[in-house]
Amino acid sequence: MALALKEENFVVIDVGSSTTRAGMSVNDTNKPPPIIIKMEDFNNPIKDNMIVSWPDLEACWHHILFKELGLKKSRNESPVLLTVPVCWTKEEHERITQIFFENFNVPGLYIAPQPLLALYGCGSVSGSIIDIGHETTDINVGVDSILQIQSSLSLPIGGKHFDQYLLELLQQDTNLVQQAKNASVPLDIKFARFIREQPGACHVLSGHVKPEDKTTGTPSVLDMVATPAVEEFTDGEVAVTEDEVVPEVTENLTVEYKGHKFTIGEYRHKVCDPLFSPELVGLDILPLSEATRLAIMNCETPEIRPKLWENIVVTGGCSLLYQLQNRLKKEVQLSLPYSDNAGDSQPRLVSFLRIPEYFTILREKQYQCYATWLGGEIVAKLVFIDAKNYVSKVDYNESGPSIVHTKSY
């Protein structure tokens, strides 16, 4: 007979290649994760969404459970919901199951795909999920809580590529190079990442007034694409256009780094350009807008596709740049078909979901990257109340690691 589990003991671990988020007790889901682990402290066991070091990954999970959360291995009463990328294999799921039951002595385990949890965190069961991470950008489609694997795409571009591109721009700024030389501060990748992660420092070149092109004197084509000021939405879900309060965009930005002040020019707003023009960082891959269109077009049946354009979730650690959604919207609108006689399969609008308003803390823009974490908390509250829903210790002892395939998404 399975142990009766208490909600205050439920553990959620949201795995990432750059950071892993974790916490215990899902009584109050309206808060950011209390534990954020930098994976570089564990030798980066996940690279490009793939596990490259099982010992280091296990050490990370061990640290979370028994150091950060203070659990006792001999009397572990905390089941774990683990979020994972969709590309992890059945063999990897089985090894995870073995680790948690045999090495961590958990009473229950549930493995859930990150894209679906991001959807749940935004109050929907159908939509398109764009997860912009540190090393990859993953695009997935979910329909009625079922991932459409044929629509899953992974682009080998992420935050580390943005940092490298920004560093190149920084090194072309002769004034900044001189400032750094005088302060004996290296212009390296850490400096670039510091600038990118400053709140409100870097925007995306769309959605605000840009300087005119110095060679042609004309605005960019992106700024000439008409976009609805207000979008209607159905089914009570939350649509957002980012026509919200946006920090003032200044030509130069003064930042303090290692006790010295530096002036960064307007080129900082180009930091996200490689996502839409991958050739800027030497990558021969689809731009985000085209990859998103391809993922949705691969989804059957055609009648569901308009809903997928209306329910886009943008999440991940690199999703917080202002006006990113507007740039994506304008780019995809350039390639979408348009007709006054729209059929059932023709997209009518492009809109985005966010964490619902009733999450009074997590609804803020800076917490949108925690949509997957929130979805994990919601699912944990639902699955761990009944042993039929998750892999219990009894199940594991009877059937072994392969039981995970019968009790997970």
Side-chain angles (χ1 to χ4, degrees):
M1 182 176 179
L3 179 70
L5 304 176
K6 298 179 181 179
E7 195 170 277
E8 59 266 25
N9 293 335
F10 298 173
V11 173
V12 176
I13 300 178
D14 181 19
V15 176
S17 61
S18 178
T19 60
T20 288
R21 297 148 290 279
M24 184 169 67
S25 179
V26 296
N27 291 325
D28 180 13
T29 56
N30 186 30
K31 62 182 187 300
I35 299 170
I36 298 179
I37 302 295
K38 291 185 177 180
M39 299 304 281
E40 63 184 4
D41 295 337
F42 295 91
N43 302 316
N44 294 309
I46 301 173
K47 293 183 179 179
D48 296 326
N49 270 352
M50 305 303 294
I51 301 172
V52 295
S53 175
W54 280 101
D56 289 329
L57 185 57
E58 182 177 343
C60 174
W61 291 336
H62 186 280
H63 175 82
I64 290 171
L65 294 175
F66 303 115
K67 298 293 184 181
E68 296 288 347
L69 297 177
L71 302 181
K72 302 295 183 182
K73 187 182 298 186
S74 59
R75 292 193 59 189
N76 191 346
E77 298 180 353
S78 295
V80 175
L81 183 144
L82 188 73
T83 81
V84 300
V86 297
C87 61
W88 286 11
T89 65
K90 289 185 176 182
E91 290 76 15
E92 288 168 326
H93 284 207
E94 290 183 13
R95 186 163 181 177
I96 291 169
T97 305
Q98 184 177 8
I99 289 172
F100 273 87
F101 280 106
E102 297 187 9
N103 298 358
F104 301 154
N105 194 33
V106 297
L109 178 68
Y110 192 83
I111 299 177
Q114 292 170 343
L116 278 184
L117 298 183
L119 264 184
Y120 298 159
C122 294
S124 182
V125 296
S126 298
S128 306
I129 309 96
I130 302 173
D131 189 336
I132 307 174
H134 179 63
E135 297 177 321
T136 62
T137 294
D138 299 315
I139 305 168
N140 291 276
V141 171
V143 178
D144 295 332
S145 295
I146 299 176
L147 280 176
Q148 307 299 301
I149 301 301
Q150 75 278 7
S151 294
S152 296
L153 295 174
S154 184
L155 304 176
I157 188 170
K160 71 175 185 180
H161 301 90
F162 305 158
D163 295 340
Q164 186 61 48
Y165 182 62
L166 179 59
L167 178 60
E168 294 176 7
L169 298 177
L170 293 170
Q171 292 173 338
Q172 295 172 13
D173 185 340
T174 55
N175 291 331
L176 178 62
V177 171
Q178 188 61 46
Q179 292 175 35
K181 184 177 180 180
N182 294 340
S184 298
V185 173
L187 279 184
D188 55 13
I189 201 71
K190 292 182 178 179
F191 183 87
R193 186 172 187 179
F194 175 82
I195 299 300
R196 177 176 64 83
E197 293 181 346
Q198 290 299 294
C202 299
H203 294 237
V204 178
L205 287 181
S206 178
H208 59 76
V209 178
K210 292 169 40 184
E212 289 186 345
D213 187 279
K214 291 180 173 52
T215 57
T216 64
T218 59
S220 164
V221 66
L222 293 176
D223 292 323
M224 296 188 288
V225 179
T227 305
V230 180
E231 297 176 337
E232 295 182 358
F233 213 68
T234 59
D235 299 338
E237 293 161 346
V238 181
V240 59
T241 63
E242 279 200 332
D243 299 329
E244 301 169 346
V245 178
V246 177
E248 181 182 356
V249 179
T250 57
E251 181 175 349
N252 293 318
L253 175 72
T254 300
V255 298
E256 185 172 337
Y257 180 74
K258 293 186 176 182
H260 301 276
K261 291 187 177 180
F262 299 91
T263 301
I264 314 299
E266 62 187 8
Y267 52 79
R268 68 188 186 275
H269 300 309
K270 298 180 180 180
V271 64
C272 203
D273 282 5
L275 200 56
F276 301 94
S277 301
E279 64 274 7
L280 292 174
V281 289
L283 293 176
D284 184 17
I285 59 174
L286 292 174
L288 177 60
S289 53
E290 183 61 24
T292 302
R293 188 186 71 84
L294 180 61
I296 293 178
M297 292 301 292
N298 283 342
C299 184
E300 299 292 346
T301 60
E303 288 73 21
I304 192 63
R305 294 172 189 165
K307 184 74 170 179
L308 302 178
W309 284 112
E310 295 170 7
N311 289 14
I312 300 177
V313 174
V314 181
T315 188
C318 298
S319 65
L320 301 182
L321 294 173
Y322 286 98
Q323 301 301 304
L324 174 61
Q325 293 179 0
N326 277 358
R327 171 72 179 268
L328 176 59
K329 180 194 297 185
K330 291 182 178 181
E331 292 265 358
V332 299
Q333 283 178 334
L334 293 174
S335 59
L336 289 180
Y338 176 79
S339 171
D340 291 332
N341 300 317
D344 291 339
S345 62
Q346 180 172 309
R348 295 169 179 79
L349 57 91
V350 177
S351 58
F352 299 85
L353 299 179
R354 66 180 182 191
I355 295 175
E357 292 291 321
Y358 49 78
F359 291 100
T360 55
I361 296 176
L362 293 182
R363 69 182 181 183
E364 300 296 330
K365 178 179 175 59
Q366 68 265 29
Y367 297 132
Q368 179 65 26
C369 59
Y370 297 141
T372 302
W373 159 261
L374 175 59
E377 289 193 304
I378 293 170
V379 172
K381 291 168 71 76
L382 297 174
V383 300
F384 287 136
I385 60 175
D386 190 339
K388 296 178 181 178
N389 300 328
Y390 63 91
V391 180
S392 68
K393 188 176 295 185
V394 173
D395 295 328
Y396 182 79
N397 291 338
E398 290 179 350
S399 305
S402 62
I403 188 65
V404 70
H405 306 310
T406 67
K407 291 190 173 183
S408 62
Y409 274 104

